[in-house]
Amino acid sequence: MNLTFESERLTFRPLAKGDLDLAIAQWTDPEVVKYVAERTYSEAELARDMPLFIRRCGGGCIGIWCLTDKTTGEKIGTAILLPMPVELDDTDWDLLIGDDIPDGDIEVGYILKRSAWGKGYATEACMRMLRFAFEVSPLEEVVACTDPDNVASQRILTKCGMIPQGQIRAYQEDIPGFRMTRAEWRQLSQ
């Protein structure tokens, strides 16, 4: 399975140890983490946890991808296919071991550096991750969720064809959820 792929403007490749700079740029910026974390993280915390962030499973199709601008080579963000936590406040990284797809829902997501906001990259990243999920990986269904106040992300998910599910349980909260099946993706991409 080829885990490096492209969209119109982006290259997607599995996150690696050398991407600590990107993790720091994302997770130390309060505006970037506003809707995805309770707080920012220190460089030391991120360096300590980087081995977890680069874990993959399901033949590599479950994990985090680094997004780079094809023109400049700049790392602009990350995209994910990860097990969605229900009663945990973060990914259960222990599930990302081996070649099996973890039980439970697999979540699509994206986090961009502030300098990449407002350029359509989030929509492009989400669409390309869904394409990978349904055309390359064995996933039959993908879910997503957002902070209730993150209206922009809710619009992106809907624009990408994900179907609103109302309130779902994820990250120890009841929050807006979205879902798409392989059959719905096929219908959308025709």
Side-chain angles (χ1 to χ4, degrees):
M1 181 178 315
N2 187 359
L3 301 177
T4 299
F5 46 88
E6 295 182 343
S7 62
E8 181 182 342
R9 299 175 294 164
L10 301 172
T11 298
F12 297 66
R13 64 164 174 74
L15 194 69
K17 286 180 186 177
D19 295 321
L20 179 58
D21 60 333
L22 175 61
I24 290 168
Q26 291 177 300
W27 294 96
T28 61
D29 184 332
E31 285 300 307
V32 171
V33 302
K34 179 179 180 178
Y35 294 121
V36 294
E38 300 270 328
R39 64 181 180 89
T40 58
Y41 292 84
S42 71
E43 291 185 21
E45 287 173 306
L46 294 165
R48 179 198 68 212
D49 291 344
M50 200 66 186
L52 298 175
F53 304 152
I54 63 173
R55 283 187 179 178
R56 304 192 82 75
C57 68
C61 70
I62 305 299
I64 302 175
W65 280 261
C66 174
L67 308 178
T68 58
D69 182 299
K70 283 170 49 175
T71 304
T72 66
E74 178 188 0
K75 298 174 189 177
I76 65 159
T78 52
I80 67 159
L81 287 171
L82 290 173
M84 180 184 280
V86 177
E87 294 302 336
L88 297 174
D89 64 358
D90 192 11
T91 300
D92 181 352
W93 299 103
D94 290 338
L95 295 175
L96 277 79
I97 298 173
D99 281 335
D100 294 329
I101 301 287
D103 291 336
D105 289 330
I106 301 297
E107 172 184 23
V108 66
Y110 39 84
I111 299 175
L112 302 178
K113 294 188 323 187
R114 211 181 322 182
S115 61
W117 290 2
K119 299 176 182 175
Y121 288 130
T123 302
E124 185 173 334
C126 185
M127 286 295 290
R128 188 60 181 92
M129 290 303 294
L130 289 169
R131 181 176 159 204
F132 173 83
F134 295 125
E135 293 182 4
V136 179
S137 89
L139 294 171
E140 291 295 325
E141 186 173 66
V142 172
V143 299
C145 64
T146 69
D147 182 282
D149 296 328
N150 193 347
V151 176
S153 196
Q154 293 167 27
R155 275 195 298 260
I156 289 166
L157 294 169
T158 303
K159 186 177 184 179
C160 290
M162 297 197 75
I163 299 167
Q165 302 295 300
Q167 297 291 303
I168 65 166
R169 188 76 180 162
Y171 296 93
Q172 299 178 325
E173 299 180 78
D174 294 323
I175 53 180
F178 300 80
R179 185 173 299 275
M180 178 182 276
T181 65
R182 181 181 298 271
E184 290 163 345
W185 168 259
R186 284 187 187 133
Q187 195 170 41
L188 181 71
S189 60
Q190 289 181 359

